[in-house]
Amino acid sequence: MYSSNNTNPVFPLVLVPLVLLLSSCSERSEYGEKSDYEKLGAACIATEDVTAPTVSSESPTDNSTYNSPATTVAVTFSENMATGSVTTNTSDTTCSGSFQLSSDNFTTCIKMSAAPVASDNDTIFTITPASSLSAATTFKVKITTSVTDISCNTLGSDNSSIVGFSTSPSGSGTIKGSVKMDNGSALSSVSVALSIYGTTVATATSDSNGDFSQSSLGLGVYTLTYTKTNYLTASQSDTLESDNQTLTVETLTQLQDSCSSGAISGKITDAVDGSNVSTVELSAYKGATFIKSSTTNDSGEYSFSDMDPGWYSVYSSKSGYIDENFRAYSCGAQANQDNSISASIASGVMRIILKWPKTNPVTAQDLDSHLQIPYLTPRIAGTECDGDSDKTDKCHLFYRTNQAADNATNVTGVSTVDYHQYYDIVSSGDFVTLDQDHNTN
């Protein structure tokens, strides 16, 4: 009896750990829910899934510019990640975490204010710098192979930005512009919201002349959104790049909300010789949404039919030409929405093209190009041009300049109205030409 009474109390003490052990084994099953292994404190749990996770995207994107100096940084993975494996440095500037941000190619890393914040079912992780990032600086993001998905699979190799993203330079400037109706008249009382990186930072209102201006704006890429009762909302983007800059954005024509759908049509010409360009592929977008495509015919003409009222960005592409884009709008049928494209140029060559929109009434019939070209010192024969009548230290090339013949340099004189040349072929072979001078509206 004594022996039996001694044994009975011991048996339950052995049985309890067994029950707990069996329970733990059940929760560690490869078919267990994520909450199961998180309760047990596991970073991940091995399963039949052996596919390695990848980095799907980063924000700010690689090689993007003019991001806010106080921006957060986010990375999106291809699958659910073990949150405990995505870490960052919060105590100093060592590159100790698996999610790193650096401005010196990871010799040091930016100190973060807190651990990465997970979202979207643990596929997106966001870090916030402990203080604003330095202005006019390029930063790279690195995700190391120590991150794992919920099945313990790691990245195949460290994922690092190729170029990185750049913060905006320090400084401020002014953005101004004008708004008009489709008949060319000034449009007053238009509210213009100025947004940078999705945040509205200021609002201006057009005056009786249709003009607006907003000063003390930080540098960066701005979206301007125009709203007025009984008119269609419109927007455009431009970049405020340097300190004390005054940026004048394109004059915007705001369309009445009574506009109906219609065709957008026009002609594409060569920017140098004015000839019609056929087989140009055109794509119309509203914001980032593709709408439809068109191709120019033998006369350079294009047309987009049945376009909803509003403004569109039209992108052009043709082999042998530089890709271009221009703005066009629909408010009923709108013709003569033309654009010129420039043939591809060799490395080291620059082409300047002046464009101005057609207006009614006409406000800009003749826009001229004037170039001041320095001479070499000492003067070298063959570098003169007739625009330098007093033989000073520079050549003034504009539409009245005619290059004289020079037998010593085998330069043939040009005396036409639309084609002028300046040569410095004796020293370097460089030359400048004025190919076209149009005064049509």
Side-chain angles (χ1 to χ4, degrees):
M1 290 294 294
Y2 179 83
S3 176
S4 174
N5 289 339
N6 248 350
T7 304
N8 287 338
V10 175
F11 181 73
L13 293 177
V14 176
L15 179 60
V16 170
L18 285 174
V19 172
L20 291 176
L21 181 60
L22 289 173
S23 176
S24 296
C25 288
S26 174
E27 293 205 18
R28 292 177 61 86
S29 165
E30 64 181 3
Y31 301 105
E33 296 295 328
K34 175 184 170 186
S35 58
D36 294 337
Y37 62 78
E38 283 183 337
K39 285 188 297 182
L40 296 170
C44 62
I45 183 170
T47 70
E48 293 180 348
D49 174 18
V50 294
T51 301
T54 60
V55 174
S56 301
S57 63
E58 295 177 3
S59 177
T61 57
D62 198 25
N63 202 24
S64 62
T65 55
Y66 300 109
N67 295 283
S68 168
T71 189
T72 57
V73 178
V75 62
T76 301
F77 293 95
S78 59
E79 53 186 295
N80 302 353
M81 303 298 289
T83 57
S85 71
V86 186
T87 60
T88 193
N89 52 307
T90 58
S91 59
D92 52 35
T93 58
T94 60
C95 296
S96 55
S98 59
F99 189 168
Q100 302 173 4
L101 179 68
S102 175
S103 62
D104 57 11
N105 206 28
F106 304 102
T107 299
T108 62
C109 285
I110 305 301
K111 179 182 176 181
M112 295 297 151
S113 61
V117 177
S119 60
D120 198 19
N121 202 21
D122 297 344
T123 59
I124 299 176
F125 290 81
T126 303
I127 53 176
T128 303
S131 58
S132 294
L133 300 178
S134 300
T137 304
T138 299
F139 295 87
K140 288 187 175 183
V141 176
K142 179 190 284 186
I143 305 298
T144 72
T145 54
S146 60
V147 296
T148 65
D149 62 18
I150 59 175
S151 299
C152 297
N153 300 306
T154 63
L155 292 178
S157 60
D158 287 349
N159 183 288
S160 178
S161 304
I162 299 173
V163 178
F165 68 88
S166 299
T167 52
S168 58
S170 57
S172 63
T174 299
I175 295 179
K176 65 179 184 178
S178 300
V179 195
K180 64 179 182 180
M181 294 182 281
D182 55 6
N183 63 5
S185 301
L187 187 59
S188 62
S189 302
V190 177
S191 177
V192 184
L194 297 97
S195 302
I196 184 167
Y197 318 117
T199 301
T200 299
V201 296
T203 302
T205 303
S206 64
D207 59 22
S208 59
N209 295 316
D211 300 329
F212 66 88
S213 180
Q214 182 65 48
S215 59
S216 302
L217 295 170
L219 307 185
V221 180
Y222 282 84
T223 297
L224 283 67
T225 303
Y226 302 71
T227 57
K228 181 179 171 68
T229 303
N230 299 325
Y231 286 82
L232 296 174
T233 298
S235 64
Q236 64 172 314
S237 298
D238 213 330
T239 303
L240 194 59
E241 295 182 307
S242 57
D243 192 23
N244 295 319
Q245 177 189 1
T246 296
L247 170 65
T248 302
V249 297
E250 179 183 350
T251 297
L252 185 128
T253 299
Q254 196 161 19
L255 308 174
Q256 296 184 28
D257 59 10
S258 59
C259 284
S260 59
S261 299
I264 296 174
S265 61
K267 179 181 289 188
I268 306 298
T269 56
D270 188 289
V272 174
D273 61 21
S275 62
N276 301 327
V277 185
S278 62
T279 66
V280 179
E281 297 180 359
L282 302 171
S283 299
Y285 284 79
K286 179 164 283 189
T289 304
F290 169 75
I291 304 301
K292 60 180 61 178
S293 60
S294 179
T295 303
T296 58
N297 61 20
D298 291 342
S299 299
E301 299 168 340
Y302 75 89
S303 179
F304 295 101
S305 60
D306 298 322
M307 302 293 280
D308 290 338
W311 281 95
Y312 296 84
S313 294
V314 182
Y315 295 84
S316 64
S317 177
K318 178 180 170 69
S319 177
Y321 283 83
I322 299 170
D323 291 350
E324 288 270 5
N325 69 84
F326 62 98
R327 287 169 60 81
Y329 73 95
S330 169
C331 182
Q334 295 295 329
N336 301 317
Q337 301 196 69
D338 306 335
N339 193 50
S340 60
I341 58 177
S342 179
S344 301
I345 55 179
S347 176
V349 176
M350 178 175 65
R351 178 178 293 137
I352 301 172
I353 300 171
L354 301 181
K355 299 181 182 179
W356 62 97
K358 296 179 179 181
T359 59
N360 184 18
V362 174
T363 58
Q365 279 188 300
D366 191 9
L367 192 61
D368 292 327
S369 168
H370 292 257
L371 296 181
Q372 297 280 1
I373 305 168
Y375 282 131
L376 297 178
T377 301
R379 289 288 293 274
I380 299 175
T383 63
E384 295 86 357
C385 71
D386 289 350
D388 182 30
S389 58
D390 59 354
K391 303 300 180 185
T392 56
D393 62 348
K394 60 181 176 293
C395 172
H396 179 194
L397 180 67
F398 68 118
Y399 76 98
R400 288 182 177 174
T401 306
N402 294 319
Q403 174 69 41
D406 190 324
N407 294 329
T409 57
N410 296 318
V411 175
T412 302
V414 178
S415 58
T416 64
V417 175
D418 287 338
Y419 190 88
H420 311 288
Q421 298 177 324
Y422 159 80
Y423 280 84
D424 180 19
I425 63 174
V426 174
S427 61
S428 65
D430 292 339
F431 66 92
V432 180
T433 67
L434 175 60
D435 299 297
Q436 292 285 332
D437 177 56
H438 293 309
N439 63 0
T440 58
N441 60 354

